[in-house]
C-alpha cells in the first residue's frame, strides 16, 4: 500500500515550480445517482480498479489565492513488500476552484445486515467510508474514503480557496501558473514518432496481456490523436524563419568577415561555389533506388515545400531575415587550462560581436536571448526583438562527455524555450569523440548526452517547503535541432575519398561517398539519431582543411581523411511544428579553421495555443470516454466485411482494402491487434494496417485500411511457389472478445527478384509456367535469362540515339506495363515518344538487375576484381568464378553498354563522358555490396573493373 508520503511525492512530480501542494485525498470512485446517492455494494479496496487521488494545488506557498483540484487515476499496484511504493498516476482532470465548485461530504449508508450472535461467529460491524461529491461545470465525481481527516482537510481547503476566488473574481483562464498542469504531461518526442503499438504488452489469442496497462496506453494515444486532429479548434498557426549554424573554430578567434555564414545577402564577396554542387540535371535516378539509402542526390530534401511561404501580412518570408538565429561553436578554447570547466565569457563575447558585425544593419533588429558554454562548446540564440515577448521559460543545460565521460572538451551545450506559451523548441550543440575508428565511442557519446541532458526551470526563489522542480529531458519538446562537430568519418581508404572528391563525375561520387558515411550507416541501422532527419548533403566534406604545402588540390590536409564531421539534424512533432528545410550548405570562404562552417535554414509553422479552448477540448474528450475501463459492460464490435479478398496481388503494386469496425454498444471500445500465438508476428510482412489500435466511441465506427505491397525481399519468397495469400488477423477488444478478419489473395508471380539460374530454368514467361517447380533443375536451361536478353535486344535496336539513356527516368505507367509484359510474354505496348519509350525500357532493365537476390558479380569475387588490370585477366577471373548464365549476362550487358558508348562517343552530359557516367551507374548495381558475405570494396575499384569491359 502506498503511504501518504509516497502519494504526495507522486503528485508533486506533476507540479511546476510555481505550484504548491496543499492536500491530497486518497479514495475510490463510486457510482452515484442523480440525487447524489452512491452504491454501497461496491468493493472499496484501495488498489481495486477505480482508485482515485484528488489533490488541491495553489499558486503561492504562503498566501494561496488561486487553487485547483487535480484528479488522478491510480493504476493497479502490485504490492510485493512492505516498502511504500509511489503509485502510478495519470491526470484525468484539472478543475479550477471557483464559486461554481461544490464539494460536499456524507457518510455512506450501510446495507441492512443480519448479525450472527453464535459463539465464534460474531463479526463486529465495520466502519463505513465517507463520500466526497465534487461538482463543477463539466465535472462530477463521487469519491469514497476511510480517511475522515483527509476528507475534512480537503473540503476545508477547497472552501477556503473558493471564498478567496469569490472575493477576487479572477478569471481562471488568466492563471498562468496553472497552464503547465496539462491533462497530458509533455511526452518524449520519440514516443510520439514511434508506432504506438510498440508500447503495448505482448499478447496473443487467448492471452490478452496486461490489459490494464494497455488500456491506459491506448487511451493516451487516442486522446493525443484526437487533440492533434482538432488542433485548429484551440490554436492558430504562426510562421517563423530559423537559421542554424555550426562551426568548429579550432581555438581560433574571429579573424574574417562571417557574413557569408551569418547573412549572405550582407556579404562583401560572393560564393565561389568550389564546395557546393550545382543543381543536378542529368544524374541517373537508378543509382538512388537502394531502399536502405536516402535519395541524397534528389533535387530537394524529402519534406521540403515548393510553395512560396508568406506571412499573415503578405510578406515573402523566404526573402526576409530569420526570426531566430542559433549558432553552435566547438573548440572555442583548446588551451590546457580550459579543459577543466571554464566560465570565462571572453571568447563568447568575441564571437558574438563578430556575429552582430556580420549582420550589419539587420543586427539592430536582433537581441541575444541566451547562451550556454561548456569549455569549447558554445551555443548562442539570437531572436528578433519583436518576438521576444512571445518567448518564455528559457532554459539551458550542459554535460561533458570527454575523458571519463565527464570532461568538458567533448559533450553538449543546449538551450530550449517556449514560443507563444505552447510550442517548445530545443537546440543542442555537441562535439563527439574524434578519430576515424572511434565510431562506437561517438555512438556512446550520443546516448550519454541524450541520457544526461536535462532542463531545470530558471528559479528566482525556491518554495519554503522544498524545491520540487522536475527537470524535463532533451526530448520533452515539440522539436529538437541538433548541430555540431559530430566527428563521424567516411569508411573508405584515404586515396578513394580524395579520388571521389576530385573526380569529374562529382554528383555520382558524392552519392558513393555517402554510402560509406559512418553517421548515415549508424542511422540506417537505428544505432543513433533514430527519428532525426537530415537534409540531403549536396556539398563536399567540411573537414579537414590545412595550410601550405601539406594539402591536396582542394585544400584538404594530407594527414587526415576528409569527412562530413559538421552536421545539422532535426526531429519535430508533425502535429505541432511543421518544418520545411530550405538550405543546407557549407561556407568555404571562411578559412580560419581546419573546418568550414555549415548552415541550415528552415521555415517553421508553430502553434499558438488557446489554453482555455485546449482545456475544454481535452476535457470534452475525457467526458466522452468517462471511466469506461472500470465499467462492467463489455463492448461489442461488428466487423464488415470479416472476409477480405485482395484479388490479384502483383510485384510493387499496392492493393488497398477497407474494413468497417462498428461499436454497437453504449460504452467505448478499446481495441488492438494480437498474434495467433506467442511465436508469430501480429501482421504478415506484406501487410500494413492502419490504425493498429484505438478507441471506438459508442454507436460509432472507424475504418481500417489494409494495404498489401510486395517488395523485392517478399517477392523472393513468393516466387518460390506461394500463390495463395491466406492470413487471419485477430482484432482484440480490451476486456472483451477477439474478432477475426480473414484475408485472401492471388499472388501474381514475377520474373523480378529471382536469381539468374532460376530465371534460366523457366520454361517460358513466369505467368505461363504452370506447375513449374523453381527448385528442380531443368536439363534444357536457357543460356541467359530471356527477360534480360529481351530488354537488351530492344534497346540495341531502338535506343541507339538516346544519349541520356539510364540518366533520366521513363514514364511510370509505361514502366509498369513493360514489367507486366516480361511476366506474361505479351508484346511491349505502343508508345509515341521514342525517347521516353527507350528510357522506360532502360529503367525496367536497371530495376530487374537491382532486384537480383545475388548481384551479377557475387560479393565473394569483389576483392579479386580489384587486382585485374585488363579485360582478358578480368574475363579469366569471371570464367572461374561465376556460372555460364551469369557470365553471359555480364558479357551481353557490357557489350551493349560499350556499343552505346561508341555510338555516343562524341556526346557528353554536363561535360562528362558517357563511359564515366555508365560506369558510375552500373558498377554499384552489378557489383552490389553484401556486407554479410564479404567486406565492401572501393566504389572506384568497382568502376575501374567495369570500365575494363566498356573500352
Amino acid at each position: 500500500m502506498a503511504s501518504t508520503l509516497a502519494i504526495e511525492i507522486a503528485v508533486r512530480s506533476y507540479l511546476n515550480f510555481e505550484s504548491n501542494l496543499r492536500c491530497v485525498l486518497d479514495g475510490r470512485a463510486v457510482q452515484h445517482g442523480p440525487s447524489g446517492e452512491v452504491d454501497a455494494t461496491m468493493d472499496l479496496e484501495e488498489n481495486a480498479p477505480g482508485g482515485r487521488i484528488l489533490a488541491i494545488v495553489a499558486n503561492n506557498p504562503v498566501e494561496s489565492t488561486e487553487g485547483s483540484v487535480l484528479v488522478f487515476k491510480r493504476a493497479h499496484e502490485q504490492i510485493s513488500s512492505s516498502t511504500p511504493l509511489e503509485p502510478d498516476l495519470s491526470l484525468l482532470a484539472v478543475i479550477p476552484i471557483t464559486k461554481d465548485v461544490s464539494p460536499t461530504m456524507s457518510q455512506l449508508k450501510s446495507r441492512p445486515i443480519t448479525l450472527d450472535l453464535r459463539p465464534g461467529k460474531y463479526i463486529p460491524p465495520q466502519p463505513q467510508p465517507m463520500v466526497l461529491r465534487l461538482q463543477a461545470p463539466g465535472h462530477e465525481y463521487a469519491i469514497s474514503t476511510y480517511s475522515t481527516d483527509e476528507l475534512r482537510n480537503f473540503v476545508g481547503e477547497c472552501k477556503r480557496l473558493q471564498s478567496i476566488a469569490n472575493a477576487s473574481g479572477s478569471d481562471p483562464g488568466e492563471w498562468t501558473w496553472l497552464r503547465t498542469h496539462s491533462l497530458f504531461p509533455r511526452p518524449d518526442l520519440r514516443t510520439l514518432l514511434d508506432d504506438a503499438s510498440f508500447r503495448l504488452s505482448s499478447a496473443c489469442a487467448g492471452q490478452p496481456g496486461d490489459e490494464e496497462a494497455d488500456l491506459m496506453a491506448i487511451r493516451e494515444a487516442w486522446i493525443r490523436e484526437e487533440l492533434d486532429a482538432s488542433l485548429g479548434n484551440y490554436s492558430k498557426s504562426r510562421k517563423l524563419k530559423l537559421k542554424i549554424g555550426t562551426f568548429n573554430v579550432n581555438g581560433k578567434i574571429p579573424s574574417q568577415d562571417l557574413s557569408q555564414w551569418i547573412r549572405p545577402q550582407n556579404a562583401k564577396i560572393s560564393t565561389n561555389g568550389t564546395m557546393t554542387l550545382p543543381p543536378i540535371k542529368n544524374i541517373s535516378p537508378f543509382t538512388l533506388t537502394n531502399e536502405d539509402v536516402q535519395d541524397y542526390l534528389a533535387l530537394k530534401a524529402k519534406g521540403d515545400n515548393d510553395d512560396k511561404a508568406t506571412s499573415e501580412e503578405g510578406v515573402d518570408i523566404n526573402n526576409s531575415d530569420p526570426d531566430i538565429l542559433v549558432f553552435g561553436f566547438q573548440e572555442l578554447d583548446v588551451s590546457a587550462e580550459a579543459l577543466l570547466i571554464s566560465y570565462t565569457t571572453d571568447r563568447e563575447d568575441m564571437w558574438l560581436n563578430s556575429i552582430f558585425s556580420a549582420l550589419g544593419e539587420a543586427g539592430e533588429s536582433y537581441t541575444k536571448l541566451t547562451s550556454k558554454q561548456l569549455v569549447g562548446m558554445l551555443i548562442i540564440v539570437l531572436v528578433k526583438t519583436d518576438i521576444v515577448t512571445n518567448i518564455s521559460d528559457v532554459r539551458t543545460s550542459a554535460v561533458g562527455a570527454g575523458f571519463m565521460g565527464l570532461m568538458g572538451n567533448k559533450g553538449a551545450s543546449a538551450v530550449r524555450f517556449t514560443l507563444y506559451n505552447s510550442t517548445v523548441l530545443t537546440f543542442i550543440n555537441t562535439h563527439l569523440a574524434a578519430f576515424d575508428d572511434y565510431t562506437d565511442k561517438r555512438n556512446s557519446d550520443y546516448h550519454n548526452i541524450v541520457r544526461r541532458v536535462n532542463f531545470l526551470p530558471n528559479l528566482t526563489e525556491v518554495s519554503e517547503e522544498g524545491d520540487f522542480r522536475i527537470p524535463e529531458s532533451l526530448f520533452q519538446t515539440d522539436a529538437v535541432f541538433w548541430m555540431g562537430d559530430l566527428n563521424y568519418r567516411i569508411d573508405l581508404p584515404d586515396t578513394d575519398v580524395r579520388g571521389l572528391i576530385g573526380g569529374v563525375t562529382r554528383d555520382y561520387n558524392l552519392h558513393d561517398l555517402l554510402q560509406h558515411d559512418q553517421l548515415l550507416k549508424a542511422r540506417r541501422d537505428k544505432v543513433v539519431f533514430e527519428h532525426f532527419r537530415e537534409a540531403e548533403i549536396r556539398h563536399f566534406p567540411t573537414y579537414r582543411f590545412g595550410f601550405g604545402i601539406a594539402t591536396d588540390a582542394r585544400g584538404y590536409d594530407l594527414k587526415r581523411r576528409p569527412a562530413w564531421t559538421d552536421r545539422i539534424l532535426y526531429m519535430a512533432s508533425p502535429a505541432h511544428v511543421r518544418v520545411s528545410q530550405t538550405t543546407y550548405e557549407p561556407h568555404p570562404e571562411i578559412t580560419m579553421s581546419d573546418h568550414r562552417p555549415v548552415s541550415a535554414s528552415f521555415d517553421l509553422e508553430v502553434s499558438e495555443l488557446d489554453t482555455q479552448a485546449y482545456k475544454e477540448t481535452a476535457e470534452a474528450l475525457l467526458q466522452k470516454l468517462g471511466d469506461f475501463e472500470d465499467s462492467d459492460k463489455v463492448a461489442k464490435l461488428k466487423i464488415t466485411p470479416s472476409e477480405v479478398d485482395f484479388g490479384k496481388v502483383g510485384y510493387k503494386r499496392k492493393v488497398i482494402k477497407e474494413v468497417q469496425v462498428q461499436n454497437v454498444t453504449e460504452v467505448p471500445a478499446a481495441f488492438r491487434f494480437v498474434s495467433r500465438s506467442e511465436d508469430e508476428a501480429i501482421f504478415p510482412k506484406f501487410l500494413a494496417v492502419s490504425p493498429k489500435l484505438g478507441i471506438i466511441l459508442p454507436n460509432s465506427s472507424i475504418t481500417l485500411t489494409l494495404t498489401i505491397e510486395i517488395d523485392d525481399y517478399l517477392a523472393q519468397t513468393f516466387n518460390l511457389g506461394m500463390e495463395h495469400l491466406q492470413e487471419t488477423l485477430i482484432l482484440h477488444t480490451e476486456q472483451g472478445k477477439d474478432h477475426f478478419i480473414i484475408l485472401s489473395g492471388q499472388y501474381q508471380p514475377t520474373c523480378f527478384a529471382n536469381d539468374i539460374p532460376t530465371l534460366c530454368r523457366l520454361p517460358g514467361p513466369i505467368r505461363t509456367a504452370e506447375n513449374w517447380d523453381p527448385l528442380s533443375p531443368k536439363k534444357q536451361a536457357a543460356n541467359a535469362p530471356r527477360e534480360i536478353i529481351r530488354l537488351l535486344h530492344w534497346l540495341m535496336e531502338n535506343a541507339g540515339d538516346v544519349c541520356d539513356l539510364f540518366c533520366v527516368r521513363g514514364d511510370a505507367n509505361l514502366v509498369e506495363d513493360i514489367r507486366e509484359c516480361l511476366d506474361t510474354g505479351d508484346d511491349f505496348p505502343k508508345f509515341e515518344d521514342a525517347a521516353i519509350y527507350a528510357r522506360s525500357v532502360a529503367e525496367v532493365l536497371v530495376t530487374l538487375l537491382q532486384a537480383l537476390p545475388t548481384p551479377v558479380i557475387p560479393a565473394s569475387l569483389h576483392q579479386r576484381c580489384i587486382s585485374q588490370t585488363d579485360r582478358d585477366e578480368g574475363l579469366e577471373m569471371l570464367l572461374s568464378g561465376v556460372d555460364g548464365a551469369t557470365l553471359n549476362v555480364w558479357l551481353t550487358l557490357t557489350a551493349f553498354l560499350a556499343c552505346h558508348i561508341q555510338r555516343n562517343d562524341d556526346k557528353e552530359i554536363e561535360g562528362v563522358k558517357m563511359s564515366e557516367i555508365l560506369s558510375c551507374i552500373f558498377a554499384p548495381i552489378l557489383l552490389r555490396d553484401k556486407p554479410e558475405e564479404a567486406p565492401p570494396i572501393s566504389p572506384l575499384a568497382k568502376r575501374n573493373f567495369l570500365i575494363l569491359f566498356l573500352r
Side-chain angles (χ1 to χ4, degrees), residues 436 490-494 497-498 543-544 559-563:
D436 294 348
I490 299 171
D491 286 331
L492 282 175
D494 182 84
V497 173
R498 295 181 195 275
Y543 172 83
R544 173 182 182 184
K559 295 181 180 179
R560 292 291 179 87
R561 190 185 314 167

Side-chain angles (χ1 to χ4, degrees), residues 271-438:
T271 304
N272 61 24
T274 57
M275 290 186 61
T276 302
L277 298 178
I280 297 171
K281 295 180 181 178
N282 291 297
I283 183 168
S284 169
F286 307 123
T287 63
L288 312 176
T289 54
N290 185 342
E291 295 179 357
D292 294 330
V293 183
Q294 286 182 307
D295 267 0
Y296 302 112
L297 299 180
L299 288 177
K300 299 186 67 180
K302 294 178 181 179
D304 282 358
N305 190 349
D306 263 342
D307 297 332
K308 193 174 186 180
T310 57
S311 67
E312 294 176 353
E313 295 76 25
V315 178
D316 182 3
I317 65 174
N318 286 321
N319 293 327
S320 62
D321 286 313
D323 300 281
I324 303 169
L325 293 168
V326 182
F327 298 105
F329 296 89
Q330 307 85 42
E331 295 191 8
L332 201 70
D333 189 346
V334 294
S335 63
E337 296 81 4
L339 290 181
L340 294 173
I341 307 293
S342 173
Y343 295 99
T344 178
T345 63
D346 293 345
R347 296 288 178 116
E348 175 185 341
D349 294 340
M350 292 181 190
W351 285 100
L352 185 60
N353 290 336
S354 294
I355 291 172
F356 272 101
S357 176
L359 287 169
E361 294 180 356
E364 298 177 0
S365 62
Y366 288 95
T367 184
K368 175 186 169 183
L369 179 69
T370 189
S371 64
K372 185 66 176 180
Q373 181 177 353
L374 177 68
V375 191
M377 288 163 291
L378 168 67
I379 186 169
I380 299 175
V381 180
L382 307 182
V383 298
K384 283 189 173 178
T385 53
D386 57 1
I387 68 167
V388 170
T389 55
N390 297 312
I391 295 176
S392 60
D393 195 19
V394 180
R395 309 185 189 187
T396 63
S397 180
V399 296
F403 180 67
M404 297 182 65
L406 299 171
M407 294 291 287
N409 60 317
K410 297 291 190 292
S413 56
V415 169
R416 65 175 272 170
F417 53 83
T418 302
L419 275 167
Y420 304 110
N421 289 320
S422 55
T423 301
V424 175
L425 300 182
T426 300
F427 303 89
I428 180 168
N429 170 42
T430 60
H431 193 187
L432 307 185
F435 303 113
D436 294 348
D437 299 330
Y438 277 39

Side-chain angles (χ1 to χ4, degrees), residues 84-146:
L85 300 176
E86 285 187 38
D88 184 12
L89 306 180
S90 62
L91 186 62
L92 295 182
V94 180
I95 307 173
I97 299 176
T98 64
K99 60 183 178 63
D100 298 319
V101 175
S102 173
T104 58
M105 60 180 183
S106 61
Q107 188 170 26
L108 186 65
K109 294 183 180 180
S110 60
R111 294 175 296 170
I113 59 173
T114 302
L115 297 179
D116 190 342
L117 300 178
R118 291 175 296 172
K121 299 293 184 179
Y122 173 71
I123 301 177
Q126 300 297 311
Q128 293 300 306
M130 300 290 291
V131 175
L132 167 71
R133 190 176 187 193
L134 184 66
Q135 294 176 297
H139 300 277
E140 187 168 2
Y141 294 93
I143 308 296
S144 64
T145 179
Y146 288 101

